[in-house]
Amino acid sequence: HTWDEDNPKEYQHVARNEPQAHIARVFVIIGIKHYEDEAMRKFKARIVFAGNRVKTAMGDWAVFQEVGSIPSTMTGCRAIIVLFCLIKNARLLQNDCVRAYVQAKMNGPKTYIRLPKAWWPKSWAGKFHDPVCELLQALYGHPQAGDFWAEKLESELISLGFELDEGWKSVYILYPDEVETIGFVVYVDDLVMVGADHLVETIAKLRQSIKMEGPSDMAKYLGCVHHI
């Protein structure tokens, strides 16, 4: 597909066939993760969707719904620690989901991205003026990427029997038998999980559909280091 931000109506395919499609640029950011902890400090780069300049194929500004997903709070984390203290033989674990947003598919109007020229395959040279590629997976920076990811994770948790705890945002509870209670607290792609006999088994089931790192004992969460 080709498109020109300055004169979109002269470019045929997207404007003619999908006038309400969204189009935006992507770019790279690089930063230092865990800067405050020298032992854990590392460079991290990611491709970012330019959510501040999204237009339709006809050149109008794109309009988005308000953000719907609300992550858990530190209060939710403390509540799950209390639950850990009340359960016999309980374990308190945490886990990071790997490249979380791109695990979710894009929804809503079709979205196309304009690639930086340095990223073009050699075969594109001289062939295209301003090519765009359809964005299939949610990408960091898109105004609704967080919602798409939250919806995917929630649907997977519900398929395992979890229920969203009423009154607690992004806190999910599972009763695997008549005795045990399992709790998951979700902050975007960071999970804190508590349970006993069925906890590790439940995490393994979730990892069949959600890419996650291996679970570890509760340590650093939302900028706080927890010593249990």
Side-chain angles (χ1 to χ4, degrees):
H1 295 322
T2 56
W3 185 77
D4 192 308
E5 185 175 35
D6 297 324
N7 200 356
K9 293 181 181 179
E10 291 189 3
Y11 282 76
Q12 315 91 17
H13 195 96
V14 178
R16 183 177 67 242
N17 297 319
E18 301 169 273
Q20 297 307 310
H22 292 173
I23 299 177
R25 293 184 179 276
V26 291
F27 59 95
V28 173
I29 59 172
I30 186 168
I32 302 177
K33 190 173 183 179
H34 304 305
Y35 180 81
E36 71 285 358
D37 188 334
E38 188 172 354
M40 297 180 64
R41 193 180 299 171
K42 64 179 180 180
F43 282 100
K44 184 175 182 179
R46 64 173 48 172
I47 297 172
V48 177
F49 183 93
N52 63 322
R53 289 186 59 83
V54 186
K55 291 189 175 183
T56 69
M58 298 303 293
D60 300 319
W61 289 106
V63 178
F64 296 94
Q65 297 177 348
E66 293 185 13
V67 174
S69 62
I70 302 176
S72 66
T73 62
M74 183 60 77
T75 304
C77 173
R78 289 170 178 161
I80 215 79
I81 292 176
V82 172
L83 183 61
F84 163 71
C85 297
L86 297 173
I87 298 176
K88 186 178 181 180
N89 300 322
R91 296 189 66 183
L92 184 64
L93 303 175
Q94 66 181 117
N95 213 336
D96 286 342
C97 299
V98 179
R99 292 180 291 277
Y101 284 5
V102 295
Q103 294 191 47
K105 294 186 181 298
M106 289 293 297
N107 289 314
K110 274 195 175 181
T111 300
Y112 294 91
I113 55 175
R114 305 168 70 196
L115 300 179
K117 214 160 191 175
W119 299 2
W120 292 16
K122 291 182 179 179
S123 60
W124 287 12
K127 186 177 181 181
F128 299 115
H129 168 65
D130 192 3
V132 293
C133 302
E134 185 178 356
L135 183 64
L136 301 179
Q137 307 298 120
L139 191 62
Y140 184 87
H142 187 282
Q144 292 181 288
D147 286 346
F148 298 152
W149 157 247
E151 289 167 2
K152 175 178 175 59
L153 179 58
E154 181 172 283
S155 68
E156 298 297 343
L157 289 170
I158 289 175
S159 71
L160 295 176
F162 280 87
E163 299 176 1
L164 180 62
D165 194 272
E166 186 176 353
W168 289 86
K169 299 296 184 182
S170 298
V171 175
Y172 299 86
I173 302 297
L174 173 68
Y175 302 101
D177 55 29
E178 296 180 355
V179 178
E180 187 175 351
T181 299
I182 293 176
F184 276 37
V185 174
V186 179
Y187 186 86
V188 189
D189 58 353
D190 292 333
L191 279 61
V192 174
M193 305 157 291
V194 67
D197 297 338
H198 294 85
L199 179 59
V200 173
E201 171 191 337
T202 301
I203 295 172
K205 289 179 180 178
L206 182 61
R207 293 183 73 186
Q208 293 177 12
S209 54
I210 297 292
K211 296 178 182 177
M212 305 165 65
E213 297 178 354
S216 59
D217 291 333
M218 178 74 174
K220 187 176 182 180
Y221 182 72
L222 298 186
C224 295
V225 178
H226 296 78
H227 299 279
I228 308 297

